[in-house]
Amino acid sequence: MTTPAPPTERETLERYEKRGGLLRGHFRLTSGLHSDVYLQSALVLQHPEDAGALGEGLAAAFRDEGVQTVLAPAVGGIIVAHEVARALGVRALFTEREDGVMRLRRGFTLGAGERCLVVEDVITTGGSTREVVQCVEEHGGVVVGVGSLIDRSGGTAAFPVKRVALATLAATTYPPEFCPLCKTGSVAIKPGSRT
Ligand code: ZN
C-alpha cells in the first residue's frame, strides 16, 4: 500500500482558502481584537475529504514515533485527533475543561507509559496543547509529539518534544484602538455575519 505524500504548506493553506476557512483582510474577531487574517478550521473540517487528507498528512510525520493514542482538546481538535488516529490505526481521545482544568472525561483512560500524540487544529499560544500535555502526564502517559494543522504562534509556542505543523501562518492581532488597519480608514468585518 502506498501512502500519499503529505500535503505541502501551500496545499494545506489552499484547502483552508477553498473552504473559506482562511480569509485575509481586516477582521473583528470574537475576542474583540482586530486581525489581518481570519482562520476557522471548522469550515475546512466540515468536509470529511479535507479532514481526512489533513489528518493523514499530520499522521505521516509521526508514523515512526510508536504513537498509541492521539489526543486533542475539545471541541476544535476532536476531528483532527480522529483523522490522525484513523491514519495511524490508534485511538482518538479528547480532553475537556471541567472547572477550568483540562481533564479526560467520559471514561477515557491511558495506560502507564502509553505513547501519546497531542494535536490541535491551530496552535496560537500553545496554551491548550500544554494543558493537554499536562493532563496526559497526570494520567501516566508519555507525550511523544505535538502536531497542528496550522501554527500561528510565530514560533513562540515551544515544546520539548517533536513538533510538526502542516503550515505556519503569520497573523497579527491588535486591540481596536491600536489597529493599523483601522488607521487607514478601513472597517473591520466580523466574519460569518452579513452586516
Ligand atoms: Zn482594525
Side-chain angles (χ1 to χ4, degrees), residues 14-15 20 22 26 31 37 47 62 65 127 155 160 162 183 190:
E14 276 175 359
R15 281 188 190 271
L22 170 58
H26 182 194
S31 61
V37 167
H47 300 282
F62 294 98
E65 305 300 326
K162 179 170 179 174
K183 287 195 168 60
K190 189 167 175 14

Side-chain angles (χ1 to χ4, degrees), residues 1 19 27 46 48 53 67 72 87 91 95-96 101 105 109 112 116 138 154 164 176 184 188 192:
M1 187 181 129
R19 302 304 191 181
F27 303 103
Q46 69 178 323
V67 173
R91 290 193 298 157
T95 63
E96 299 165 88
V101 181
R105 301 177 65 191
T109 57
C116 297
E138 282 166 4
V164 173
T184 66

Side-chain angles (χ1 to χ4, degrees), residues 101-120:
V101 181
M102 203 67 100
R103 297 187 202 278
L104 281 179
R105 301 177 65 191
R106 302 170 194 271
F108 287 151
T109 57
L110 292 175
E114 190 159 338
R115 295 175 67 81
C116 297
L117 171 63
V118 176
V119 298
E120 273 207 79

Side-chain angles (χ1 to χ4, degrees), residues 23-177:
L23 305 174
R24 295 173 196 274
H26 182 194
F27 303 103
R28 181 159 46 91
L29 307 180
T30 310
S31 61
L33 297 174
H34 288 193
S35 178
D36 57 349
V37 167
Y38 171 73
L39 204 51
Q40 179 50 270
S41 298
L43 293 177
V44 184
L45 298 173
Q46 69 178 323
H47 300 282
E49 179 202 337
D50 293 295
L54 294 169
E56 276 179 23
L58 200 50
F62 294 98
R63 208 165 277 289
D64 299 327
E65 305 300 326
V67 173
Q68 295 173 289
T69 298
V70 184
L71 298 96
V75 172
I78 292 178
I79 292 174
V80 179
H82 188 263
E83 292 300 332
V84 171
R86 184 208 299 274
L88 292 175
V90 299
R91 290 193 298 157
L93 310 187
F94 56 88
T95 63
E96 299 165 88
R97 277 205 190 83
E98 187 180 44
D99 301 326
V101 181
M102 203 67 100
R103 297 187 202 278
L104 281 179
R105 301 177 65 191
R106 302 170 194 271
F108 287 151
T109 57
L110 292 175
E114 190 159 338
R115 295 175 67 81
C116 297
L117 171 63
V118 176
V119 298
E120 273 207 79
D121 55 337
V122 178
I123 282 191
T124 305
T125 63
S128 301
T129 294
R130 228 167 262 122
E131 287 177 74
V132 179
V133 168
Q134 193 178 355
C135 177
V136 167
E137 289 169 349
E138 282 166 4
H139 282 266
V142 177
V143 176
V144 297
V146 166
S148 62
L149 301 181
I150 295 187
D151 178 354
R152 64 179 294 182
S153 75
T156 58
F159 296 90
V161 292
K162 179 170 179 174
R163 161 84 184 281
V164 173
L166 293 183
T168 56
L169 190 63
T172 318
T173 54
Y174 312 94
E177 59 272 31

